[in-house]
Amino acid sequence: MQFPESWLRAFCNPPLTSQQLADTLTMAGLEVEELRPFAPAFTGVVVGQVLSAEQHPNADRLRVCQVDVGHGAPLNIVCGAPNARAGIKVPCATVGALLPPGEDGKPFAIKLGKLRGVESQGMLCSAKELQISEESNGLLELGEDAVVGRNIREQLGLDDMLFTLKLTPNLAHCLSVYGIAREVSALTDTPLVPPEFPKVAVQVPDRLPVSVHASDLCGRFSGRVVRGVNTKAQTPAWMVERLARCGQRSISPLVDISNYVMFELGRPSHIFDLDKIHGGLQVRWGREGEQLKLLNGNTITVDAEVGVIADDQQVESLAGIMGGDATAVSDDTQNIFIEAAFWWPKAIAGRSRRYNFSTDAGHRFERGVDPSTTVEHVERITQLVLEICGGQAGPLDDQVLGLPEGKPVMLRVARAAKVIGMPVTQAQCAGALRRLGLAVTEGDGTITVAPPTFRFDLQIEEDLIEEVARVIGYEQLPTNPPLAPITAKLRTESRRGPFAVRRLLAQLGYQETINFSFVEERWEHELAGNADPIKLLNPIASQMNVMRSSLLGSLIAVLKFNLDRKAQRVRLFELGRVFRKDPSVQDSDTSVAGFDQPMRVAGLAYGGVDSLQWGSAERSVDFFDIKGDVQTLLAPLQATFKPTEHPAMHPGRCASVWLGERCIGYVGELHPKWRQGYDLAQAPVMFELALDAVLQREIPLFQSVSRHQPVERDLAIVVKEAVTHAAVMDAIRDSGGELLRDAVLFDVYRPKKTPEGQGGGLASDEKSLAVRLTLSREDATLTEQEIEAVVKGALVSLEQRVGARLR
């Protein structure tokens, strides 16, 4: 909220400088986001009156003006402004004046000079040249009350400071200049000048029938008819100036009056053109299909969750948010209806955001506006209307349907001292609350407060404790450091940190990417096989509406982003959290009931195995390259890879990763249909693993080197083409016993077809596998009988389990 210091000091004028006042507000929780002068520094500019304006003899667009600046003889000034004419009072920069700096950053000095042969003894100024307005329609014309020769800074109050506050939602009572003055009065113990609301004389008997059909929407409705107003009247300069310093442009007298009272007292109101209302007004909830054209030009469709003000024919206003175009005041308006109401905050909250806009009125009403002052504020608006636009006021109607009931809140002095962190007495607490204008009742060590109607935020004991701390001053809090035992959190030797995983993946050529945890719902269905993802109640974008249960979708999106920018070789990884529904999860300090949130590490590779180079033939990355990266990532742990299926991966080029009896993730090539859907030239290869498993590491144990050399035996077996490597290895390992140390496949033979048929003595559906067995024992050298027994056992097992035969 922006406002001028001069307006604030009209209500409360503490003996503080502007900076001290800003510091006081900030320390009380009303953060001053910006404090800046209204006008930049300049000197030598006074009020001048143009006595005459004659055409320049040598220029069509210039006039030679005689200007009285209160120094005796008038000054001869050449001016090119279109509104330079005799009789007006304007800012005049005399010789020697320094105007605000321009783009070069240097002040503009006014010197005695000649323009087209005519001497000019100064310069007549526009508001833009003085940098007090962005708009410039010629010279800045001053009011008739401007004193000739007076310094323009004094005449216009240009030494004013503009405050911009960043208010939290609980400070709704500070969304007005008077509300902030009330806080300043309490904080500085300075007298507050309360506004007066004299009753306007009733001159016409006219009333507008208003019926409130929704008491849960509107708790109080006040209004008055005013006839014979002149909407072509000029808004007073003082009002235009105050609105401008609040960041509000002057529009028309009636709109300006409504805005002025909103900034002054925090009361949004609306003024209807009475002659455009059909019958009476109805305050109710909207109906399906009803449409309303708003003052901002947008046409919206309301429903039963949006409050409206309607007449007998159509909806005329969006309750508490914005008026409608059909009943808006214009230059032809003669009769008006002034409305001020109390709208329940819950009935206004979020409604304007449904239509992608926000208003000052909605911002205030959804936080809470004092329901007890609707009548006084209508009187204030009526007073200004009659002063500026004239007219005759009718009787004031006031309907009270239901107002919020402020429940007493009790403060325990001992509890306040404990929460604030310093000793406070009951007198201090009671005094601080009374300075805020709160009704206080003291007990034995307790203080009970009846919240006033303008304080919607005082509901629990902690709210009162906060008020006490604000008024006493946060700067009074002691600076005693907290005393707490510090226990080092050491990671066990059997685990490594996430940073070590990041560093290892970076060494393998991967680059880390960090993505949102909320993703497209389509990704969950296609890439994670998650039919019931966790949906967001308020997504930041319509397509990012669910929480991810897999990191793969994010990596593919980043890959696509890079490929669209002509990247040829991409290596990506991410460490992140995923989110899944799991009824078995219980509430704790680190978990939420019903939701599992494990950490995962995932990687993706696309393009060539190596960067462009001459040492080896170019080859695209494949499943076995990424399998090797996974093995390196898990080392020294030995993972087992088993053929499996995954929603995001190729059915025949995908494997699950196992550590012991636990499946910790998957590695594989992107499924062909998703590759086609993402329009990828080749399939990326991906992996996704449980991070807690990756962080495990074996503690090195001493083991003596065996004194007996191992024995190696090679087997060449023939199996069906459909037999997998995993099946062969399982058959061998299960038969080897303690003497079999290792088994490695080192060759696959598929002879080429010849005109006579399949070569090598193999059938068309067979292949030859060469496996090397490594055997050893620690206590003795292996005998030939032991070696033959192991080899024979392996062959028998292979024959029985995979149908293999010795080649």
Side-chain angles (χ1 to χ4, degrees):
M1 177 181 170
Q2 178 179 303
F3 62 91
E5 182 182 4
S6 59
W7 198 357
L8 175 66
R9 290 187 182 272
F11 289 114
C12 181
N13 190 10
L16 302 174
T17 65
S18 300
Q19 187 59 55
Q20 289 172 334
L21 180 57
D23 294 341
T24 300
L25 289 171
T26 298
M27 289 306 297
L30 286 72
E31 180 185 352
V32 178
E33 192 172 29
E34 184 182 22
L35 175 64
R36 62 181 177 89
F38 171 66
F42 59 83
T43 61
V45 183
V46 298
V47 176
Q49 184 171 18
V50 180
L51 302 178
S52 64
E54 304 294 337
Q55 184 66 42
H56 193 290
N58 301 320
D60 294 338
R61 296 186 178 181
L62 297 180
R63 291 179 176 83
V64 181
C65 302
Q66 297 296 311
V67 183
D68 179 13
V69 294
H71 295 169
L75 302 180
N76 192 72
I77 298 178
V78 179
C79 178
N83 62 334
R85 64 187 186 278
I88 63 172
K89 295 180 180 180
V90 295
C92 177
T94 58
V95 174
L98 293 176
L99 295 186
E103 295 181 358
D104 58 357
K106 297 180 181 179
F108 181 66
I110 303 300
K111 301 177 181 178
L112 187 66
K114 288 186 177 182
L115 289 175
R116 295 290 184 95
V118 177
E119 186 177 65
S120 183
Q121 299 171 328
M123 173 181 171
L124 303 183
C125 303
S126 67
K128 188 173 184 179
E129 288 165 336
L130 297 179
Q131 295 186 15
I132 59 177
S133 175
E134 292 296 326
E135 299 180 2
S136 177
N137 296 319
L139 300 177
L140 173 60
E141 298 187 26
L142 306 175
E144 291 294 330
D145 58 346
V147 180
V148 174
R150 189 181 186 188
N151 189 299
I152 197 68
R153 300 191 72 90
E154 183 181 351
Q155 178 67 45
L156 297 179
L158 299 183
D159 291 324
D160 203 359
M161 299 293 288
L162 298 184
F163 284 66
T164 302
L165 300 190
K166 185 178 181 181
L167 298 175
T168 52
N170 65 308
L171 296 174
H173 59 286
C174 295
L175 286 169
S176 66
V177 178
Y178 179 70
I180 297 168
R182 188 166 48 203
E183 287 289 306
V184 172
S185 175
L187 296 170
T188 62
D189 203 16
T190 304
L192 177 68
V193 180
E196 296 181 358
F197 305 104
K199 291 187 178 181
V200 175
V202 175
Q203 297 174 295
V204 295
D206 298 353
R207 298 174 183 267
L208 178 68
V210 178
S211 55
V212 180
H213 299 293
S215 59
D216 57 341
L217 167 65
C218 178
R220 186 175 187 179
F221 193 95
S222 305
R224 155 180 281 156
V225 170
V226 179
R227 290 193 174 274
V229 297
N230 176 20
T231 55
K232 297 181 181 179
Q234 191 74 21
T235 303
W238 61 267
M239 182 178 288
V240 172
E241 191 61 35
R242 279 188 170 177
L243 288 174
R245 296 185 188 190
C246 288
Q248 179 68 48
R249 180 173 57 88
S250 175
I251 299 173
S252 66
L254 294 176
V255 176
D256 291 346
I257 290 170
S258 179
N259 288 334
Y260 181 84
V261 173
M262 180 181 69
F263 284 113
E264 180 185 41
L265 304 172
R267 166 69 61 191
S269 59
H270 187 61
I271 299 179
F272 294 86
D273 188 325
L274 182 64
D275 299 325
K276 296 178 181 178
I277 298 176
H278 306 92
L281 292 180
Q282 304 169 15
V283 180
R284 57 175 173 80
W285 292 105
R287 296 165 184 162
E288 292 291 340
E290 287 184 321
Q291 291 191 330
L292 169 65
K293 184 178 182 182
L294 297 169
L295 289 173
N296 61 7
N298 294 344
T299 299
I300 63 171
T301 301
V302 302
D303 55 31
E305 295 183 359
V306 178
V308 300
I309 301 176
D311 60 16
D312 293 346
Q313 293 187 6
Q314 61 185 4
V315 175
E316 300 293 359
S317 176
L318 202 57
I321 298 174
M322 185 180 288
D325 182 70
T327 54
V329 294
S330 64
D331 290 344
D332 299 325
T333 298
Q334 296 181 349
N335 307 305
I336 62 172
F337 177 73
I338 303 170
E339 165 262 310
F342 167 68
W343 307 100
W344 289 98
K346 289 183 179 180
I348 304 300
R351 269 48 176 198
S352 60
R353 287 186 289 276
R354 294 178 59 182
Y355 302 108
N356 297 320
F357 67 85
S358 62
T359 63
D360 288 334
H363 181 77
R364 286 164 170 79
F365 278 124
E366 68 183 6
R367 285 161 172 77
V369 177
D370 188 354
S372 68
T373 54
T374 57
V375 171
E376 290 82 354
H377 293 172
V378 170
E379 294 284 7
R380 174 62 169 157
I381 296 171
T382 307
Q383 174 194 358
L384 293 172
V385 169
L386 297 182
E387 289 178 1
I388 298 171
C389 302
Q392 297 177 314
L396 196 151
D397 289 326
D398 182 33
Q399 300 183 50
V400 180
L401 293 92
L403 301 180
E405 297 180 3
K407 297 181 179 179
V409 183
M410 188 180 72
L411 167 69
R412 295 166 292 173
V413 177
R415 172 68 176 166
K418 183 176 181 179
V419 172
I420 295 174
M422 71 177 187
V424 290
T425 64
Q426 184 163 333
Q428 283 180 298
C429 295
L433 296 173
R434 285 193 178 99
R435 284 165 60 182
L436 290 169
L438 306 180
V440 173
T441 303
E442 296 189 50
D444 185 13
T446 64
I447 298 173
T448 303
V449 171
T453 53
F454 59 86
R455 293 301 298 266
F456 287 78
D457 58 315
L458 301 182
Q459 299 179 3
I460 58 176
E461 183 179 23
E462 282 71 14
D463 296 330
L464 296 182
I465 295 174
E466 180 185 4
E467 296 303 297
V468 171
R470 288 199 311 120
V471 176
I472 291 177
Y474 293 122
E475 66 276 7
Q476 302 298 325
L477 294 175
T479 56
N480 301 329
L483 299 177
I486 299 176
T487 303
K489 188 176 181 181
L490 300 178
R491 189 169 53 247
T492 62
E493 192 177 356
S494 61
R495 291 181 64 83
R496 54 183 169 179
F499 180 76
V501 176
R502 289 186 172 96
R503 183 168 57 186
L504 179 55
L505 285 168
Q507 291 172 349
L508 292 172
Y510 292 80
Q511 291 182 313
E512 184 174 11
T513 178
I514 301 174
N515 301 289
F516 286 121
S517 294
F518 25 89
V519 298
E520 293 186 38
E521 187 171 1
R522 177 174 61 91
W523 296 0
E524 285 297 295
H525 296 323
E526 296 178 353
L527 302 176
N530 186 4
D532 186 22
I534 301 170
K535 295 188 177 181
L536 297 173
L537 294 178
N538 188 25
I540 63 170
S542 58
Q543 72 276 15
M544 304 173 73
N545 61 337
V546 300
M547 302 298 291
R548 65 183 180 183
S549 63
S550 171
L551 304 180
L552 297 180
S554 301
L555 292 181
I556 294 174
V558 176
L559 169 65
K560 182 65 175 170
F561 181 88
N562 282 269
L563 295 181
D564 290 343
R565 284 150 185 80
K566 306 302 181 183
Q568 301 296 322
R569 182 177 180 273
V570 180
R571 297 289 188 279
L572 303 168
F573 80 92
E574 181 178 7
L575 267 73
R577 197 173 297 280
V578 297
F579 305 84
R580 304 174 303 184
K581 293 181 180 179
D582 186 350
S584 65
V585 177
Q586 302 297 319
D587 254 331
S588 71
D589 293 340
T590 58
S591 63
V592 178
F595 298 96
D596 188 21
Q597 306 175 58
M599 291 289 291
R600 298 267 184 86
V601 56
L604 177 148
Y606 179 94
V609 173
D610 299 311
S611 300
L612 188 64
Q613 48 90 36
W614 57 269
S616 61
E618 185 176 352
R619 179 176 66 84
S620 296
V621 66
D622 60 20
F623 171 87
F624 297 102
D625 295 313
I626 306 308
K627 177 186 175 185
D629 290 343
V630 170
Q631 290 174 319
T632 303
L633 185 62
L634 295 174
L637 298 178
Q638 296 292 325
T640 303
F641 297 83
K642 300 179 181 180
T644 188
E645 292 186 0
H646 187 280
M649 298 180 184
H650 193 296
R653 301 173 186 175
C654 169
S656 56
V657 185
W658 294 75
L659 285 178
E661 300 299 321
R662 180 189 175 191
C663 177
I664 67 167
Y666 299 88
V667 58
E669 190 178 287
L670 183 65
H671 199 291
K673 62 180 178 181
W674 308 138
R675 169 189 167 185
Q676 183 178 7
Y678 286 97
D679 192 24
L680 301 176
Q682 68 182 68
V685 187
M686 312 170 295
F687 68 86
E688 183 173 20
L689 308 173
L691 182 61
D692 63 330
V694 177
L695 296 181
Q696 296 178 23
R697 64 178 179 181
E698 293 181 346
I699 300 176
L701 298 175
F702 169 76
Q703 185 177 2
S704 62
V705 178
S706 175
R707 292 179 297 172
H708 306 281
Q709 292 187 352
V711 175
E712 294 180 347
R713 289 289 187 269
D714 292 346
L715 297 178
I717 59 174
V718 177
V719 295
K720 295 292 185 180
E721 186 66 43
V723 174
T724 64
H725 168 264
V728 171
M729 292 296 108
D730 288 344
I732 294 175
R733 290 192 181 100
D734 291 346
S735 68
E738 296 180 355
L739 300 182
L740 180 63
R741 300 301 185 190
D742 195 12
V744 177
L745 174 69
F746 65 90
D747 186 41
V748 178
Y749 174 67
R750 296 183 179 91
K752 296 181 181 179
K753 293 182 179 180
T754 63
E756 294 78 14
Q758 187 78 17
L762 302 179
S764 59
D765 60 345
E766 291 181 332
K767 59 185 175 183
S768 173
L769 305 180
V771 181
R772 177 162 295 171
L773 308 181
T774 302
L775 296 80
S776 71
R777 60 185 297 175
E778 299 295 331
D779 55 345
T781 301
L782 289 172
T783 63
E784 193 64 30
Q785 290 81 5
E786 291 173 327
I787 297 172
E788 289 299 326
V790 172
V791 172
K792 184 176 181 181
L795 290 174
V796 171
S797 178
L798 287 169
E799 181 181 2
Q800 292 175 348
R801 297 179 59 171
V802 299
R805 70 177 189 275
L806 190 64
R807 185 179 174 189

